[in-house]
Amino acid sequence: AYENSLISHGLEFTPVENCFASAFPNGRWIGISTDLDKTADCIAGFNPDDAVHWRKLVAAFPGDAPHLFALLGNPMSKRNLAKTVWAAWRDKGTDWVFDTVRLLLSSPRDFLDANFQGEELKTALACWGMHLDFPPDAAGGALFPYLEGMANQSFGMVLGKGGADTIIKAMTGMIRSAGGDIHLNEKVESIITEKGAATGIRLASGRTVVARRAVIAGVAPGQLVGKLLPDGSGNKRFDGQMRSFRHAPGTMMIHLAMDELPGWKAADELKRFAYVHLAPSMTAMARTYSQAEAGQLPDEPVLVVGQPTAIDPARAPKGKHVLWVQTRVVPAKIKGDAAGKINGTDWDRIKEKYADRVMSVIDRYAPGTSKRVIARTVHSPVDLERENPNLVGGDQICGSHHLAQNFLFRPVPGWATWKTPVKNLHMTGAATWPGAGTGAGSGFMLARQLAGA
């Protein structure tokens, strides 16, 4: 609906055909691209039966996708949920509905073991669960590996041309052209309420801003209750559940300026992919997650290596490259080191040492990468929260997506439609339905709701 307006304000995307890949310690690799024959041939190199089943899943996806996206792209109310299930049942039948419910409740391992035989393909897909706080054996995590695999195969992906800020610039341009104001670097001290309704906000400077229609808070639940609402919402159950909102383990981000892309030992073709996951197996992922949950620095971190300049060379000077490395997962608060080599529990003191461990892992898969680094910037979980208070403990998805905190339960049971007990006060952002991502789903659906659409 806003495509032309966003484009007129500078939005531009670069299409990605080679979406994601995984490299393995044995020197082999597997990748998913928009070329079905290419992907299937890659899978067949590990297991021919998996390649056949992959083609079947891809062939079925266009008929399944509308119902899955209807679930994820509509307000999470009982009424909408019933309408979505009814429409799916009429179109696809009872068996499909039951199979889909089972998919939504399954762990990544359950789904992948039921559909594939090759450990490499299962590992490559299971990595996507780790992006959203789903280790291989967590119930409810199967949907994300399935959707990423099928959607990337079917549609590819896109990167913001020149940098992700192309989206921000276009959106702010739209807001200003419509007469809106944007105020940056002003701390909101509290939300003003009168007679149980939100009427505005009070800034740290003492200035107040009056809201004629609504106050929308894009914050983590713990920031809303007790901070922006010093006396709470007036609903004890809501307040208690917001305070106990569960955040995912932390993330460390490493940004690298490079002389060239990593020389991947498995194949030069890996240089063409937007993402390269480094995780030896589902068992290794489960162990890494358990270590982080226990407060231990993982001995073998799961890594997501982003190669944006492989897709969009404009993001770096000619002939140079940038990499970002997402370390999934690490503890928000350190209690020890699973490898027994790093002493200290203060992220500010040990983050460079842990970044060295991360780089040593990359060097095993792409020898000499560390020597190609021109400059390195490390952001620990503490740094991420300092830069954005919504990233509590370095939780880059603003809240676990485990079943007890997803769908009708996001952010808390009974309040999945962005409303709060305070009249005219609404929540938005990754802590609310439909969860993490940069698709602005919650804000868009809330805006339509407020507009009566």
Side-chain angles (χ1 to χ4, degrees), residues 360-380:
S360 71
V361 171
I362 297 174
D363 279 338
R364 293 207 306 269
Y365 291 88
T369 299
S370 293
K371 297 177 181 178
R372 298 183 176 99
V373 174
I374 300 170
R376 180 175 93 176
T377 302
V378 180
H379 298 269
S380 74

Side-chain angles (χ1 to χ4, degrees), residues 96-444:
W96 187 91
V97 171
F98 278 122
D99 287 344
T100 301
V101 171
R102 182 168 60 182
L103 171 68
L104 295 175
L105 299 178
S106 293
S107 71
R109 192 190 300 271
D110 288 338
F111 165 71
L112 294 167
D113 282 348
N115 283 276
F116 303 111
Q117 300 174 47
E119 292 302 319
E120 289 84 358
L121 178 59
K122 290 190 283 188
T123 297
L125 293 172
C127 285
W128 283 108
M130 296 289 282
H131 284 249
L132 291 174
D133 190 36
F134 283 106
D137 298 299
L143 178 64
F144 304 103
Y146 167 72
L147 278 183
E148 286 292 343
M150 294 298 102
N152 285 178
Q153 175 68 82
S154 302
F155 314 127
M157 59 172 65
V158 294
L159 296 181
K161 190 169 184 178
D165 61 350
T166 183
I167 303 169
I168 305 300
K169 290 175 180 176
M171 292 180 69
T172 56
M174 277 185 62
I175 292 170
R176 290 186 171 118
S177 67
D181 290 327
I182 300 172
H183 299 271
L184 304 176
N185 300 315
E186 293 201 53
K187 183 179 179 181
V188 178
E189 196 70 37
S190 62
I191 295 169
I192 303 169
T193 60
E194 295 178 9
K195 298 179 181 180
T199 59
I201 58 174
R202 181 176 290 107
L203 303 178
S205 64
R207 186 166 68 92
T208 61
V209 179
V210 176
R212 289 181 295 177
R213 180 70 182 277
V215 174
I216 301 172
V219 297
Q223 295 286 329
L224 184 68
V225 174
K227 292 187 178 181
L228 295 180
L229 292 173
D231 300 321
S233 71
N235 183 311
K236 290 184 178 179
R237 178 175 171 81
F238 176 85
D239 292 353
Q241 291 180 330
M242 292 288 276
R243 290 190 181 99
S244 62
F245 183 83
R246 181 184 177 275
H247 282 277
T251 302
M252 169 184 271
M253 291 297 302
I254 304 174
H255 294 275
L256 304 170
M258 303 287 297
D259 268 328
E260 56 184 291
L261 290 171
W264 298 104
K265 184 167 57 176
D268 259 2
E269 194 168 349
L270 284 173
K271 293 181 179 180
R272 302 176 185 174
F273 283 83
Y275 298 90
V276 178
H277 290 116
L278 302 180
S281 64
M282 286 196 287
T283 299
M285 281 185 244
R287 186 187 67 206
T288 294
Y289 188 89
S290 296
Q291 290 172 343
E293 282 282 80
Q296 300 291 307
L297 294 169
D299 54 355
E300 179 80 10
V302 173
L303 304 183
V304 187
V305 181
Q307 302 183 128
T309 45
I311 312 300
D312 179 15
R315 292 190 178 204
K318 187 175 182 180
K320 304 298 180 182
H321 290 274
V322 295
L323 294 182
W324 54 258
V325 182
Q326 187 182 78
T327 308
R328 301 287 302 140
V329 287
V330 295
K333 295 182 180 179
I334 304 168
K335 295 180 181 178
D337 177 21
K341 296 179 179 179
I342 297 177
N343 296 317
T345 58
D346 183 345
W347 270 114
D348 288 337
R349 291 180 178 273
I350 67 92
K351 67 179 183 181
E352 294 292 343
K353 291 181 181 178
Y354 197 70
D356 289 341
R357 178 176 298 173
V358 171
M359 294 305 301
S360 71
V361 171
I362 297 174
D363 279 338
R364 293 207 306 269
Y365 291 88
T369 299
S370 293
K371 297 177 181 178
R372 298 183 176 99
V373 174
I374 300 170
R376 180 175 93 176
T377 302
V378 180
H379 298 269
S380 74
V382 174
D383 294 324
L384 294 176
E385 185 173 358
R386 284 175 184 148
E387 294 165 5
N388 183 346
N390 288 337
L391 306 184
V392 178
D395 167 17
Q396 49 101 30
I397 56 173
C398 200
S400 171
H401 289 71
H402 290 188
L403 286 174
Q405 200 170 270
N406 205 7
F407 300 105
L408 287 168
F409 308 115
R410 193 169 189 89
V412 295
W415 301 96
T417 56
W418 313 293
K419 294 181 179 179
T420 73
V422 179
K423 186 179 179 181
N424 299 334
L425 174 61
H426 305 266
M427 278 190 69
T428 189
T432 66
W433 175 257
T438 55
S442 62
F444 180 74

